[in-house]
Amino acid sequence: LAESNRKLASARESLRRLVGRVKAQVDDQSEHQAVLAAARRESLAKTRFVTTVNHELRTRLNSLLSAATLLRDTALDGDQAELIELIEREGADLRARIDQILDLTNIQSGQILLESNEIFIPDLVDDVMTLFAADAARRGLALWGNVSRPAARWIMGDSGRMRQILINLIDNAVKYTRKGHVSIEVTRSQADARSGMVFAVTDSGPGISAGLAEALAGGAGSDRGGDGDIGLGLSIAAQSAELLGGALRARPQKAGSRFELGLPLSVCLPRRDRTLTTLRRLTRTVGVTFANAAAKKDWRLRQLVRDWRLKGDADAGAESESAVFLDPTPADLERCLTDTAAAAIVAICSNRRREIELRALDHPSIFVFRPPLTNYRLLKQVLMPERERKIAAAAASGTVKGASLRVLVVDDSLANQMVTASLVTRLGHRVTAVSSGREAIQTTTQIPFDVVLMDIRMPGMDGFEAARRIMQSQAPHAPPAIIAVTANTLEGDREACADAGMVDYVTKPVNVSNLQAAILRWGNRAKAIRGERQLDELQSAALLDRKDLKRLEKEVDRSLIPEIADAFLQEAETRLEQIAQALERGAVAEIVGHAQPLVSASASFGARRLGRWADFLERAAKDGRDREITAVLVDVRECFRDTKKSLTAFVAELGRG
């Protein structure tokens, strides 16, 4: 008994100590929570204070800058104009710094919400570089953006946050570089999970210290090399990179500096870019000649050839050649026009005076650029004219397929009707011609036109009134794009056309390339809008029509319906898979052969919605509208799954009956 009492006392003491420890932990946790709550309140108060100060500073600064802008427009001597320019430049820089302080405060307080949207990498780089064009030109710096072939993709990410990081990096590079260049290079990397996409900003400035590289390597929140050493812009860029799941690093260089932003970005697989696909194909077939010594030696152009695997330095007599010059004279370009069959002559000018001289030539085959440039924008201008040349040749021979639009020509002159209709037909479109506004209104109610080419000055009802009535009558059914085609160039005509609902204005005599561009731009848009309304009608159709199913019960043996239904579902699933494979191969014409049987089979089972989808796929394939097929294929598959579920339920119900 004594031994039991001792053990009981020992257990009580252990329990007492345990309760004491738990109580201490609870007290510590309560204290910790109180500290956290106080820290949150302090952080919120700091954020509110910074936001208020930011607002007050920006309000006063905007007033000062507005006053400086007004003062600049008054009569000033040379010294005064320079001082006003200094006020505007430094004021804009101060406003950017104030924004950075607010951005840094929001990041540190956790008030940044990340977004996810579609981003086209070349456009992102192009937009950011354009912001620094004037500053770089004033400093005499060459700006260049190089997007490698694997990195030219649509991706998913926070475009605003990525854009801000790149702006901070380029701003830092331009500020500290006195001469030479600043460039962005975008590549894809498989070596590091945090660097699926790498944006490298390189400059020819004084370089970076080992301490700065070490501070960035330690992370934005590292104690090594505080934010003061890193600098405000780089600190924000580093912390933003961490928010996006990536990292910002400084790489040692023999001359200048290099900052690399690595981000684990995912490619946007559903997005299909026809221009990008065309460019990838053309890089394997179109020859490029660097037509003067400066172009052959330029590191930017050599990098373009290497990254995109171009057929550089092609034979000067090649029919499909594109010629690229760097700082050419007008005589150089005139000689190239005479001696070669280049589809495009691209001139890159580093000074404004030479650019003006070359633009004055006003030749349709000469394309003049002035840095900043991205290799993708240059590449499009080098290669796409070859594609346009082939399209024009096909249109002239009447072999254009897949781009055909339905066009109505309205003109009271029979001769003008014949000329315009002939041009539109040669461009590969289907044409109807009428001679008055009233006929145009009546015809558009019967035929779904994509484009109406409307003469303005006609007896009786003029083009303005005809356009207004067409827009009113067709409003519920997605009206056609109405383009004014007229010899009148009176002041106010363009505004009057817009007021009447016309979308564009083409003058006579008609330029064929301008006409084709207007028809394709506005006709495809009208077609897409009409397609969206058709999709709404498709979605409203019933999955299964019970009347058709009852009819099927009467026509066939009830015991065979499950087997027939199973065969239908298997065939439909196979057809959809074949359509997807044909689309992936670019064999759009094959889709017709898979969609037609699906229309018929769907009708047998009363699968109305699936049948309408199949009919839509068939018509889109006949017209070569592969982008529309790509866009709706997910909806078609979802419709099949819903149909399968409903039909399976019907068969089960039939078995129970």
Side-chain angles (χ1 to χ4, degrees):
L1 183 60
E3 181 66 21
S4 297
N5 288 334
R6 281 195 302 272
K7 288 182 179 180
L8 182 59
S10 176
R12 286 174 178 168
E13 179 62 24
S14 298
L15 181 60
R16 186 185 62 78
R17 288 197 298 268
L18 178 61
V19 169
R21 285 199 299 269
V22 170
K23 184 178 179 182
Q25 288 177 356
V26 170
D27 291 341
D28 289 345
Q29 187 175 5
S30 299
E31 184 179 353
H32 180 63
Q33 288 176 347
V35 171
L36 283 178
R40 290 194 189 98
R41 288 194 298 271
E42 183 180 352
S43 176
L44 183 59
K46 183 176 72 172
T47 301
R48 287 174 177 170
F49 172 75
V50 172
T51 303
T52 303
V53 171
N54 177 279
H55 173 73
E56 296 296 329
L57 290 176
R58 284 177 62 87
T59 301
R60 272 72 179 174
L61 185 57
N62 286 335
S63 299
L64 290 173
L65 292 176
S66 298
T69 301
L70 293 173
L71 187 58
R72 177 164 50 82
D73 294 335
T74 62
L76 302 172
D77 60 32
D79 291 339
Q80 291 171 332
E82 287 184 6
L83 289 173
I84 291 297
E85 183 180 352
L86 176 64
I87 292 172
E88 289 181 327
R89 184 170 65 249
E90 295 303 319
D93 185 69
L94 179 57
R95 184 163 53 192
R97 302 302 167 207
I98 293 172
D99 288 341
Q100 287 180 336
I101 293 172
L102 181 62
D103 208 13
L104 183 61
T105 304
N106 288 335
I107 291 174
Q108 292 177 343
S109 63
Q111 294 188 8
I112 296 292
L113 295 178
L114 297 181
E115 299 178 355
S116 182
N117 39 48
E118 295 181 353
I119 311 164
F120 188 48
I121 293 293
D123 285 349
L124 173 66
V125 173
D126 205 8
D127 290 345
V128 171
M129 288 181 57
T130 301
L131 296 175
F132 294 90
D135 197 12
R138 187 174 60 252
R139 296 168 183 264
L141 301 176
L143 276 181
W144 173 249
N146 186 75
V147 181
S148 68
R149 184 186 178 105
R153 289 284 190 276
W154 284 90
I155 62 171
M156 296 300 296
D158 189 328
S159 58
R161 189 61 43 190
M162 289 172 58
R163 189 172 184 270
Q164 188 60 52
I165 295 173
L166 293 178
I167 286 174
N168 287 353
L169 293 179
I170 298 174
D171 179 59
N172 183 72
V174 170
K175 185 189 304 180
Y176 292 107
T177 305
R178 296 186 179 276
K179 63 178 181 179
H181 72 274
V182 173
S183 66
I184 308 178
E185 183 178 356
V186 189
T187 56
R188 293 190 68 183
S189 171
Q190 304 297 332
D192 186 351
R194 301 183 77 190
S195 305
M197 195 77 72
V198 179
F199 298 79
V201 176
T202 308
D203 63 63
S204 56
I208 55 176
S209 66
L212 177 59
E214 184 181 353
L216 285 176
S222 172
D223 292 331
R224 294 177 295 170
D227 288 350
D229 296 329
I230 293 176
L232 188 58
L234 288 180
S235 177
I236 292 172
Q239 294 191 46
S240 296
E242 287 192 352
L243 278 176
L244 297 175
L248 179 65
R249 299 184 179 91
R251 300 293 187 188
Q253 298 281 105
K254 291 183 180 178
S257 60
R258 179 182 176 90
F259 292 91
E260 292 183 357
L261 169 67
L263 295 175
L265 301 175
S266 59
V267 174
C268 184
L269 293 176
R271 186 63 182 255
R272 295 179 183 272
D273 191 312
R274 184 171 294 180
T275 299
L276 179 59
T277 303
T278 301
L279 282 179
R280 291 180 185 280
R281 185 174 66 251
L282 289 175
T283 55
R284 298 191 294 267
T285 60
V286 178
V288 179
T289 294
F290 297 109
N292 61 357
K296 291 179 181 178
K297 295 178 182 178
D298 190 78
W299 64 273
R300 297 168 295 182
L301 299 180
R302 291 202 305 269
Q303 192 178 45
L304 174 64
V305 170
R306 182 182 68 248
D307 283 354
W308 284 82
R309 301 195 290 276
L310 291 179
K311 294 172 61 179
D313 295 323
D315 179 12
E319 181 184 356
S320 61
E321 172 199 356
S322 292
V324 180
F325 288 87
L326 187 60
D327 287 324
T329 64
D332 289 333
L333 300 190
E334 289 175 2
R335 193 161 43 249
C336 185
L337 288 170
T338 305
D339 299 341
T340 71
I345 300 172
V346 178
I348 304 172
C349 304
S350 57
N351 78 63
R352 178 66 175 165
R353 189 165 58 86
R354 181 60 53 82
E355 178 191 7
I356 293 172
E357 288 179 359
L358 298 182
R359 290 192 187 279
L361 295 175
D362 195 25
H363 192 284
S365 295
I366 298 175
F367 304 90
V368 183
F369 289 94
R370 187 162 179 247
L373 271 178
T374 58
N375 65 340
Y376 186 80
R377 184 152 58 98
L378 180 61
L379 189 70
K380 283 202 297 186
Q381 207 60 72
V382 169
L383 300 184
M384 291 304 279
E386 170 63 10
R387 175 175 177 269
E388 299 301 325
R389 184 186 67 78
K390 291 179 179 178
I391 290 176
S397 61
T399 59
V400 169
K401 294 181 180 179
S404 178
L405 296 170
R406 191 179 290 276
V407 179
L408 175 65
V409 175
V410 186
D411 202 308
D412 63 309
S413 167
L414 181 59
N416 286 342
Q417 273 187 37
M418 293 175 63
V419 170
T420 306
S422 176
L423 286 175
V424 175
T425 302
R426 286 180 59 192
L427 291 172
H429 305 295
R430 293 167 288 174
V431 182
T432 302
V434 296
S435 56
S436 71
R438 295 190 183 281
E439 287 183 273
I441 296 169
Q442 183 178 6
T443 307
T444 53
T445 60
Q446 299 170 351
I447 301 173
F449 287 100
D450 302 305
V451 175
V452 175
L453 301 178
M454 179 75 73
D455 185 25
I456 291 180
R457 309 298 175 189
M458 294 184 294
M461 183 184 294
D462 62 18
F464 299 119
E465 181 62 24
R468 275 191 288 268
R469 294 197 184 185
I470 289 173
M471 295 299 292
Q472 291 170 0
S473 64
Q474 294 294 301
H477 311 291
I482 306 177
I483 300 172
V485 183
T486 179
N488 292 295
T489 55
L490 300 176
E491 185 178 357
D493 273 353
R494 186 177 293 274
E495 291 75 13
C497 288
D499 291 342
M502 302 187 201
V503 295
D504 212 337
Y505 189 101
V506 179
T507 58
K508 298 176 183 177
V510 174
N511 178 287
V512 178
S513 59
N514 290 345
L515 181 64
Q516 173 73 323
I519 290 174
L520 290 178
R521 182 190 311 122
W522 298 109
N524 285 328
R525 181 176 179 275
K527 204 169 189 176
I529 293 173
R530 190 165 60 249
E532 289 177 6
R533 298 195 181 183
Q534 289 175 348
L535 295 184
D536 291 339
E537 294 177 4
L538 285 168
Q539 295 284 30
S540 65
L543 276 174
L544 292 178
D545 190 311
R546 288 285 174 171
K547 292 180 180 178
D548 289 338
L549 292 173
K550 292 295 182 182
R551 175 185 51 76
L552 185 65
E553 285 186 62
K554 295 177 181 178
E555 293 178 353
V556 302
D557 188 341
R558 285 169 59 96
S559 63
L560 296 177
I561 289 181
E563 185 178 346
I564 298 172
D566 186 57
F568 161 67
L569 293 173
Q570 288 185 12
E571 180 189 2
E573 190 168 15
T574 301
R575 294 290 184 189
L576 290 177
E577 184 59 34
Q578 290 169 333
I579 288 171
Q581 292 173 1
L583 187 62
E584 187 70 27
R585 296 195 309 272
V588 182
E590 293 181 13
I591 294 176
V592 177
H594 300 308
Q596 282 176 341
L598 188 54
V599 174
S600 176
S602 299
S604 299
F605 273 89
R608 293 297 179 88
R609 190 181 302 176
L610 185 60
R612 286 193 183 183
W613 275 119
D615 180 62
F616 176 87
L617 294 176
E618 180 186 349
R619 287 184 284 108
K622 286 179 178 178
D623 292 339
R625 292 177 281 144
D626 54 318
R627 292 185 69 179
E628 292 184 28
I629 298 173
T630 302
V632 304
L633 204 52
V634 173
D635 298 300
V636 180
R637 284 173 166 158
E638 184 178 351
C639 174
F640 168 73
R641 288 193 294 269
D642 292 342
T643 302
K644 182 177 181 179
K645 188 184 301 183
S646 295
L647 188 56
T648 303
F650 168 76
V651 171
E653 180 184 332
L654 192 68
R656 288 193 298 270

